[in-house]
Amino acid sequence: MAFMSAESSVLILCRVALAFSWIYQGAVPKLYCMSSGEVELLGHIIPVYRWACIAVSWMGAGEIVFGLYLLVARRNWVFWFNIVTLCMLLLFVGIFEPGMLTLPFNPLTLNVALIALSLIAILELNNTKRLF
């Protein structure tokens, strides 16, 4: 993690917070104790329950890998990809399970916060590149 010494503490904090969110969301509600809500939500496009469960597991693994990648990513596109992905996930929830958007700590509030962290990371990464 020596490469992080050249980065601002704000960028490091953004990376850690984003990575934690993706790793946790991949590990806990998808792999460790598969949430029925995750399976039901995916069931809108994968109607076979067993296949939806398998897809949720793969998504969980992918989220963990992506979270780890966010810790070391040195390019803006990774954070832009994060923003686009979060917007698409939010749109998916809004179309198929709009009631989720009214719950406490719902996908809208979480995704907006993660998008803001991604935008801050992009700004900080641009500032870091200008310094070197």
Side-chain angles (χ1 to χ4, degrees):
M1 295 267 186
F3 70 90
M4 284 189 169
S5 63
E7 294 182 346
S8 72
S9 56
V10 172
L11 179 55
I12 294 168
L13 186 58
C14 287
R15 287 181 187 283
V16 170
L18 288 166
F20 171 78
S21 181
W22 280 103
I23 292 167
Y24 181 88
Q25 290 297 326
V28 177
K30 291 183 181 72
L31 294 177
Y32 179 67
C33 52
M34 189 175 296
S35 165
S36 60
E38 296 279 357
V39 177
E40 287 175 28
L41 192 58
L42 200 55
H44 291 287
I45 56 173
I46 303 175
V48 178
Y49 179 80
R50 179 71 183 134
W51 294 353
C53 290
I54 292 169
V56 167
S57 295
W58 278 100
M59 287 170 51
E63 289 178 10
I64 292 168
V65 169
F66 184 64
L68 292 171
Y69 189 65
L70 280 167
L71 286 173
V72 297
R74 307 276 300 165
R75 304 270 189 235
N76 281 346
W77 71 265
V78 177
F79 297 101
W80 284 113
F81 177 78
N82 188 49
I83 291 169
V84 169
T85 301
L86 290 168
C87 288
M88 289 172 44
L89 290 170
L90 193 54
L91 181 64
F92 185 80
V93 169
I95 291 170
F96 292 108
E97 294 289 339
M100 288 180 70
L101 300 177
T102 63
L103 300 173
F105 297 102
N106 62 65
L108 178 62
T109 57
L110 175 64
N111 286 18
V112 167
L114 295 177
I115 288 168
L117 282 173
S118 295
L119 290 170
I120 294 167
I122 289 167
L123 293 172
E124 285 297 308
L125 193 56
N126 287 341
N127 288 338
T128 302
K129 287 179 183 176
R130 277 187 234 136
L131 295 175
F132 294 99

